[in-house]
Amino acid sequence: KQEVTQIPAALSVPEGENLVLNCSFTDSAIYNLQWFRQDPGKGLTSLLLIQSSQREQTSGRLNASLDKSSGRSTLYIAASQPGDSATYLCAVSSIGGGTSYGKLTFGQGTILTVHP
Amino acid sequence: NAGVTQTPKFRILKIGQSMTLQCTQDMNHNYMYWYRQDPGMGLKLIYYSVGAGITDKGEVPNGYNVSRSTTEDFPLRLELAAPSQTSVYFCASSYLGQGNEQYFGPGTRLTVT
């Protein structure tokens, strides 16, 4: 059974810092990995999707890497801003028989606070 | 495109009542999902569907039912509501041929008292 762990559970940084959020998963047979952002009381917004054949994806100040063999992904946020404050969730889609490709297993998230 | 829409946004149920959570997507996605999120936790998969007429159980299906008669709609039915079903419910959709990136609705906050 796939298990996803995110470290740290919470992080508080001053504005302008570069930071790294970590995600680990137990089964390396994955189809893809997705990073989401969730604002309080809101739904999930997809930030980056990394296919199993890729090593990293970039979008603006965000960079996500994937090391399938070690079961790890990192989300790097450059020059953090107060508007980046949110919960960041990592989710993996495991390779399985039949229709299992679409099913995501989520970590518990990292609560990020960026203070001015 | 409206993306994934969910109704209602909030609902309070008494124990034993039933209700249907509605989910609609306008992106012609083949896969649709229902998740629940409990406070301080990640999301857990309740049911999913790979196309009209095809559904399957996820990690936590007990107490729920689904149907998918069209590509666009994927309602979630709660029968005999229990306090353990107090949660935030999210619907999502994806297209396997496009890397299976999942898009989420805004959620329904349900309280069972």
Side-chain angles (χ1 to χ4, degrees):
Chain A
K1 178 185 172 186
Q2 179 75 269
E3 293 182 1
V4 180
T5 303
Q6 292 187 243
I7 295 174
L11 183 62
S12 181
V13 300
E15 181 176 6
E17 270 204 9
N18 302 324
L19 56 97
V20 174
L21 307 182
N22 296 292
C23 172
S24 61
F25 45 94
T26 55
D27 184 353
S28 62
I30 66 170
Y31 183 65
N32 62 33
L33 183 146
Q34 206 165 346
W35 282 95
F36 294 91
R37 169 186 172 135
Q38 185 176 30
D39 294 293
K42 303 292 186 183
L44 279 68
T45 301
S46 178
L47 296 174
L48 290 164
L49 171 72
I50 310 178
Q51 299 294 347
S52 62
S53 58
Q54 297 174 321
R55 295 299 297 266
E56 66 177 345
Q57 283 285 345
T58 298
S59 176
R61 294 183 293 109
L62 305 179
N63 176 275
S65 67
L66 174 64
D67 184 343
K68 232 177 31 164
S69 61
S70 67
R72 296 184 185 200
S73 175
T74 61
L75 179 66
Y76 175 82
I77 303 177
S80 59
Q81 303 170 357
D84 295 330
S85 298
T87 298
Y88 290 80
L89 293 159
C90 166
V92 298
S93 175
S94 300
I95 293 175
T99 61
S100 298
Y101 285 97
K103 295 160 64 174
L104 287 177
T105 302
F106 281 82
Q108 293 185 326
T110 294
I111 302 171
L112 173 65
T113 303
V114 182
H115 47 89
Chain B
N1 286 350
V4 181
T5 57
Q6 293 183 237
T7 56
K9 286 188 170 53
F10 304 93
R11 184 71 185 269
I12 298 174
L13 281 182
K14 294 190 186 305
I15 294 171
Q17 287 185 321
S18 301
M19 76 164 294
T20 299
L21 282 66
Q22 301 291 344
C23 174
T24 300
Q25 55 92 8
D26 63 358
M27 297 174 282
N28 202 30
H29 285 170
N30 48 2
Y31 278 50
M32 295 187 74
Y33 315 83
W34 275 105
Y35 296 90
R36 60 176 286 172
Q37 184 178 34
D38 298 320
M41 305 291 286
L43 280 72
K44 294 188 177 180
L45 182 66
I46 304 171
Y47 270 96
Y48 68 105
S49 168
V50 301
I54 307 171
T55 63
D56 204 352
K57 296 177 181 178
E59 190 180 357
V60 289
N62 292 344
Y64 307 94
N65 277 300
V66 294
S67 61
R68 189 150 178 221
S69 56
T70 67
T71 299
E72 297 78 19
D73 301 307
F74 190 40
L76 177 72
R77 178 83 177 161
L78 278 72
E79 304 282 1
L80 300 175
S84 62
Q85 293 177 305
T86 294
S87 189
V88 181
Y89 292 83
F90 290 101
C91 179
S93 71
S94 67
Y95 190 77
L96 192 61
Q98 294 172 353
N100 203 47
E101 183 173 9
Q102 292 196 17
Y103 296 84
F104 281 74
T108 294
R109 189 174 297 272
L110 176 68
T111 302
V112 182
T113 62

